[in-house]
Amino acid sequence: MEFLIVGVIALIAIALATALGPRIGVAAPLILVALGVGVSLIPGVPDVEIDPEIILAGVLPPLLYAAGVSIPATDFRREFKSIGALSVVLTIISTVLLGVLFHAVIPDLAWPWAFALGAIVSPSDPVATAIIKRLGVSPRVVSLLEGESLLNDATALVLLRGAVAAAASAVTVWTVAWQFVVAMALAVAIGWIVARINLWVSARIRDTTANTVFTFTVPFLASIPAELVGASGLVAAVVAGLVTGNGAARALSPQVRQSDHQTWRAIELMLEGAIYLILGLELIATIEDVERDHAGVGFALTTAAVTLVAVLVLRAAFIAPLLFGQARRARRAEALIPHIEHARTRLEDPDASHEALRGVAAKLAGRARSEEHAHRRLTRAEADISYLLRAPLGAREGALMVWAGMRGVVTVAAAQTLPTDTPGRSLLVLIAYFVAIGSLVIQGGTVAWAVRVLKPSRGATPDEEADERAALREQLEKAGADARAQFRDSGTAGTGTAERIAVIHAKREALLDARALGTFSSAALSAMLTELDHEQIRLEL
């Protein structure tokens, strides 16, 4: 009964903190931490100690899966190299250099545990992305931060597991590196397979409630087999989320997708809130342990402050050349425009089409199987170039990306996964907690101010967005008109509702085709897909 009461109170606290946070200008995670601390100070409340395995195997897989489902596939594809650099390369560099820092400043801290703490404080948090979205920053900046915060979580946790394994037995750097590569590769394969099975099964479960129950298992269907074969269950959960999110619009009914969307938003909210509440509940007891067994809270605070500065410096040093590479990429892409125009002209010439196909294949690093395929590749290339030129990343956007790289839920959760027999565990956990809290307070509390000062690109103007929506609607209306004509010409018996649903299906296919080509922004496509889904659900009721 006590556990049930605690659970109910926790859910109420999470809901209230989420609702009140934006109104009072305080991030919901900080409210939950404060509530947890307040509850832990009540006389008679026992110390809270969570089994690390619960966080690692029970909380993080669905949390990362939920984040993966929501990322726009087109934006992720376009920014894949930059996201990969931020989420993998920067995380590895940060883990190593921060590990060196911790080994230097913490007496008697062995190298594996120093790198473990480095991995814990390396990943950024999606809280910043949610804040920046509300502030109207360029969708390209949002995509980079969103993709980074998703994948670097998994990368950091794989590195953490390798460091913990290294502490338990003597291994070489090359052994850890090889295990990292194998863990990532196997996890990607398992996550992809589970996602495809998930889409196949979900498409055949007609009952929305039953399908919702089934989707609860998907992160674990990916993570558990991956862990059993020595891969990363967390990476598998992320990949399963990405593949499911990309394929859901074509494979699943609108009712199932709408239900899944709301379900996973609620799950994500509850799991994140629970982790911050646990942080607050454990904080006082952790501080007492550090005061009793180590150099004191002052040392942990100082180390956390140094860590925050080091994290920002490392991030700035990495993002600066990354932006230079992005600018170079944009210039190279712009230089392709004349070649694309020439190739399109050649494709329209029957006598030169085969030569044009070879040119397209050479310029776009792929083989065009037919003229239609070549035209599609050209259209996609033009859309990608337009995306790069329409939203360039400059110093203002780079500075915002540096400041928005705050630490949060994954740092807290990863700290809680340290084995209970870790030497100096309380000190390491407290440093991680202080880093997360300090980052949320300092960076999270000032990111809106940073946006006002830096004035980064806001993306499309309201007029441009309206024009884009009008162009997309016109394209879909054309597809709908063609489908309506075919429906009537076929003489198919049915009602007006059947015809309207057939038109919606045709519009959705045209929308998904436009998404594959990247000819419209993810925001416009998502809004229109939701509109089509709502219309179909209304007709099918």
Side-chain angles (χ1 to χ4, degrees), residues 279-321:
L279 186 160
L281 291 169
E282 290 186 343
L283 187 60
I284 299 301
T286 305
I287 289 173
E288 292 173 350
D289 287 344
V290 172
E291 286 284 4
R292 183 176 61 251
D293 301 330
H294 300 284
V297 175
F299 177 75
L301 275 171
T302 302
T303 304
V306 172
T307 302
L308 273 176
V309 173
V311 163
L312 289 172
V313 170
L314 285 172
R315 188 170 177 81
F318 189 87
I319 286 179

Side-chain angles (χ1 to χ4, degrees), residues 97-110:
L97 295 182
L98 291 173
V100 173
L101 172 66
F102 292 132
H103 183 73
V105 301
I106 301 178
D108 303 324
L109 183 64

Side-chain angles (χ1 to χ4, degrees), residues 40-63:
S40 69
L41 293 174
I42 298 175
V45 173
D47 292 341
V48 174
E49 186 173 348
I50 303 297
D51 185 349
E53 190 64 24
I54 293 176
I55 303 296
L56 189 61
V59 175
L60 290 178
L63 193 59

Side-chain angles (χ1 to χ4, degrees), residues 502-527:
V503 169
I504 291 173
H505 283 312
K507 288 182 177 180
R508 185 180 292 112
E509 285 299 319
L511 185 147
L512 295 177
D513 187 57
R515 186 182 73 175
L517 295 175
T519 48
F520 295 94
S521 69
S522 295
L525 292 168
S526 178

Side-chain angles (χ1 to χ4, degrees), residues 209-250:
T209 305
N211 186 78
T212 298
V213 174
F214 174 73
T215 61
F216 289 156
T217 67
V218 175
F220 304 105
L221 291 176
S223 64
I224 293 174
E227 293 291 339
L228 291 176
V229 300
S232 169
L234 301 175
V235 174
V238 168
V239 173
L242 288 169
V243 176
T244 297
N246 184 42
R250 181 166 274 115

Side-chain angles (χ1 to χ4, degrees), residues 346-433:
R346 299 283 288 176
L347 280 171
E348 295 171 357
D349 182 357
D351 297 329
S353 60
H354 293 293
E355 181 183 343
L357 284 175
R358 288 195 296 271
V360 171
K363 290 295 179 185
L364 302 181
R367 297 183 64 183
R369 297 184 297 270
S370 64
E371 289 188 26
E372 180 183 357
H373 186 223
H375 276 296
R376 288 181 61 82
R377 290 186 64 84
L378 289 171
T379 301
R380 178 166 159 172
E382 287 173 331
D384 290 348
I385 293 171
S386 176
Y387 169 82
L388 292 174
L389 299 180
R390 188 172 61 247
L393 297 176
R396 296 175 184 272
E397 291 75 25
L400 181 61
M401 288 174 61
V402 171
W403 193 246
M406 66 184 70
R407 273 53 189 162
V409 63
V410 175
T411 291
V412 173
Q416 293 164 357
T417 68
L418 282 174
T420 53
D421 59 351
T422 300
R425 182 181 188 276
S426 297
L427 177 61
L428 303 186
V429 170
L430 187 60
I431 290 171
Y433 283 178

Side-chain angles (χ1 to χ4, degrees), residues 35 53 89 97 164 202 231 243 260 315 337 347 361 490 495 507:
L35 286 174
E53 190 64 24
V89 179
L97 295 182
V164 172
S202 294
V243 176
D260 284 354
R315 188 170 177 81
I337 293 177
L347 280 171
S490 65
T495 65
K507 288 182 177 180

